[in-house]
């Protein structure tokens, strides 16, 4: 079954190509008289280097958490070498021997306790997610008691804001004292951070001596800076800017599936969308291979559900196949038939839906336009509304929209419980569509009190099965993290989690 070829204009592509002649085959000479160094361009600017307030502390290799997620998206030791859940509310962690802060002070249980006391005081969101009732330090051990039975506590410790820093120091905003392979030399808010190697790093001194991270929100500017040799690594490049990078002799594109998913969020308050056949019909109208190839230029993975397919709990389901004929059949089962104008109609009312979208992620309006065209081909009217502040709109005007092209991180710390709670529980913080599936809520509540990892995987798979059957969302694709890299950069690749950008392993020729 063929879909219509759908093409959208590549804005700025001609400008990008024109600005990138063979003269841009330069090699960045970020090897200074002081030794090896790298310059990275990043998309989201940091106003502070305080690891308890911003992600850049961990991303820049300045700060570290007790545990982390590895390349297989599984939790592994970091500053804590081992841990034990002594009962449903009590967790004990053993801090590695030999870890020091950047000023040489040893890191022990008391230092970790002080760091957590500070983050609980200064970051309300993290305090809420950690649910810590009390802490006790004893030598290299720290014990946490949570306010309730909380198996997800371990995965929440992966959050970058749960970093360990030395408290009571001056200028934590600009030069935090932490435990990573690099320390902050200078920081200009929303502009750049300059890093220097911490020679006594517990896991071995970094191969680089200096790192510069510059912030720029324009993806095409980041791409041009990579091509001109001003940067060695450029994050979050637009798909339409990649042609000159891919054809370069000394640059490469690294692409990995993100922990994010782009999807259609259905409003359960819309009478038509309360019928699962209507939701499934709309799900069948998206040709995911076309969306991946033509909207994302191949830099995406088709989605079968909410979670990155590399997760063990992602489920066994396959992405929905494009099938407009079956979509028409399901609409007929839902009581719709085409009127004289070729429009789907039921009880004298044409099936017309309002689809909200937003430009913060440029591909989402394109996905909305694509769906609008496919729906029109079977007689369904979709009106597109581009909204500036999408989250406020969805919550404050719940009666004004029927669908939205949306995007969320679904397992940002390696566990699906987060998304199941916020997106599907009736009171969930990411449930403006008012989804309420009792069977799914029951499984989520059971998951919330289950500590065994294998049992959690089983429960999450069961939840995904229900989601695929009920179609409260239509999952479209997992966008890739697209990074341009100079070939002189060695022993480095981006991770799906986007937490650990600068490490002690990265090297340059």
């Amino acid at each position: 079954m063929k879909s219509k070829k759908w093409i959208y204009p590549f804005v700025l592509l001609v400008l990008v190509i024109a600005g990138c002649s063979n003269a841009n085959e330069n090699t960045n000479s970020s090897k200074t008289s002081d030794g090896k160094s790298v310059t990275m361009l990043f998309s989201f600017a940091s106003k502070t280097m305080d690891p308890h307030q911003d992600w850049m502390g961990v991303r820049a290799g300045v700060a570290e958490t007790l545990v982390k997620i590895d390349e297989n998206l599984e939790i592994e030791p970091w500053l804590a070498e081992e841990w034990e859940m002594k009962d449903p509310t009590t967790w004990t962690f053993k801090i590695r021997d030999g870890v020091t802060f950047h000023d040489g002070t040893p890191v022990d249980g008391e230092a970790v306790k002080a760091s957590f006391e500070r983050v609980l005081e200064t970051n309300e969101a993290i305090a809420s997610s950690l649910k810590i009732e009390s802490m006790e330090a004893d030598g290299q051990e720290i014990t946490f008691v949570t306010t309730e039975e909380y198996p997800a506590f371990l995965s929440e410790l992966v959050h970058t804001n749960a970093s360990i820093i030395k408290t009571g120091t001056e200028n934590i905003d600009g030069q935090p004292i932490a435990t990573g392979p690099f320390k902050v030399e200078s920081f200009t808010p929303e502009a750049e951070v300059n890093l220097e190697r911490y020679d006594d790093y517990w896991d071995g001194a970094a191969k680089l001596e200096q790192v510069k991270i510059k912030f720029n929100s324009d993806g095409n500017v980041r791409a041009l800076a990579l091509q001109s040799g001003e940067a060695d690594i450029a994050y979050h490049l637009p798909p339409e800017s990649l042609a000159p990078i891919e054809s370069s002799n000394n640059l490469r594109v690294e692409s990995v599936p993100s922990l994010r998913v782009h999807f259609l969020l259905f409003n359960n308050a819309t009478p038509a969308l309360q019928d699962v056949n209507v939701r499934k019909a709309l799900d069948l109208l998206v040709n995911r291979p076309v969306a991946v190839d033509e909207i994302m230029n191949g830099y995406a993975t088709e989605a079968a559900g909410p979670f990155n397919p590399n997760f063990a709990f992602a489920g066994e389901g396959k992405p929905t196949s494009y099938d407009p004929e079956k979509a028409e059949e399901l609409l007929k089962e839902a009581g719709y038939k085409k009127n004289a104008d070729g429009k789907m109609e039921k009880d004298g009312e044409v099936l017309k839906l309002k689809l909200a979208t937003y430009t913060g992620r440029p591909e989402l309006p394109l996905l909305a336009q694509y769906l609008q065209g496919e729906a029109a081909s079977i007689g369904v009217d979709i009106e597109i509304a581009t909204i500036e502040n999408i989250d406020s709109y969805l919550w404050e005007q719940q009666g004004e929209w029927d669908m939205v092209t949306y995007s969320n991180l679904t397992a940002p710390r390696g566990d699906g419980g987060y998304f199941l709670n916020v997106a599907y529980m009736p009171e969930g913080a990411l449930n403006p569509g008012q989804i309420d599936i009792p069977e799914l809520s029951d499984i989520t509540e059971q998951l919330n009190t289950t500590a065994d990892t294998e049992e959690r995987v089983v429960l999450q798979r069961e939840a995904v099965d229900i989601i695929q059957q009920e179609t409260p969302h239509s999952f479209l694709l997992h966008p890739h993290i697209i990074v341009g890299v100079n070939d002189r950069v060695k022993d480095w690749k981006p991770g799906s989690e986007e937490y650990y950008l600068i490490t002690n392993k990265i090297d340059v020729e």
Side-chain angles (χ1 to χ4, degrees), residues 66-67 75 77 80-95 136 140-146 150-151 153-154 157 451:
L66 293 180
V67 294
I75 294 176
E81 61 182 356
E82 60 186 30
W83 57 86
E84 178 185 3
M85 187 178 72
K86 294 191 171 182
D87 61 51
T89 62
T90 307
W91 298 74
T92 296
F93 293 78
K94 185 179 185 301
I95 312 303
E136 182 178 341
Q140 289 301 109
E141 291 189 348
I142 181 168
T143 298
F144 299 93
V145 177
T146 57
Y150 190 36
F153 178 68
L154 183 65
L157 290 177

Side-chain angles (χ1 to χ4, degrees), residues 16 28 30 75 85 93 159 162 173 225 238 269 288 296 331 344 377 391 405 425 499 507:
V16 171
N28 187 323
S30 290
I75 294 176
M85 187 178 72
F93 293 78
H159 197 297
D173 280 346
R288 287 158 177 81
M296 301 300 293
L331 289 176
M344 284 291 178
S377 72
D391 291 305
T405 55
M425 295 297 279
Y499 285 173
D507 201 0

Side-chain angles (χ1 to χ4, degrees), residues 284-305:
L284 288 163
L285 293 178
V286 179
N287 190 321
R288 287 158 177 81
V290 167
V292 167
D293 291 341
E294 297 189 18
I295 295 179
M296 301 300 293
N297 271 19
Y299 290 96
T301 300
E302 298 173 45

Side-chain angles (χ1 to χ4, degrees), residues 98-153:
V99 177
T100 60
F101 288 116
H102 293 148
D103 64 353
T105 306
V107 177
D108 58 13
E110 285 290 349
V112 171
K113 180 174 180 284
S115 182
F116 273 96
E117 287 173 343
R118 180 181 185 272
V119 75
L120 295 179
E121 290 176 3
T122 61
N123 191 320
E124 184 178 344
I126 294 301
S128 176
S129 66
L130 291 177
K131 305 181 190 297
I132 294 173
E133 182 175 89
S134 64
M135 295 177 283
E136 182 178 341
D138 180 13
Q140 289 301 109
E141 291 189 348
I142 181 168
T143 298
F144 299 93
V145 177
T146 57
T147 58
E148 60 190 56
E149 188 173 354
Y150 190 36
F153 178 68

Side-chain angles (χ1 to χ4, degrees), residues 376-388:
S377 72
I378 65 166
V380 176
D381 283 346
I382 290 182
E383 172 195 355
I384 295 176
T386 302
I387 307 300
E388 183 174 347

Side-chain angles (χ1 to χ4, degrees), residues 410-431:
T410 54
R413 291 173 285 284
D415 186 88
Y418 158 78
F419 190 68
L420 296 176
N421 275 280
V422 299
Y424 298 111
M425 295 297 279
E427 302 300 321
L430 295 177
N431 188 8

Side-chain angles (χ1 to χ4, degrees), residues 195-210:
L195 309 168
E196 59 182 350
R197 182 170 65 197
Y198 175 50
D199 291 331
D200 294 325
Y201 178 55
W202 64 269
D203 194 32
K207 296 177 181 178
L208 300 179
E209 293 189 23
Q210 296 175 321

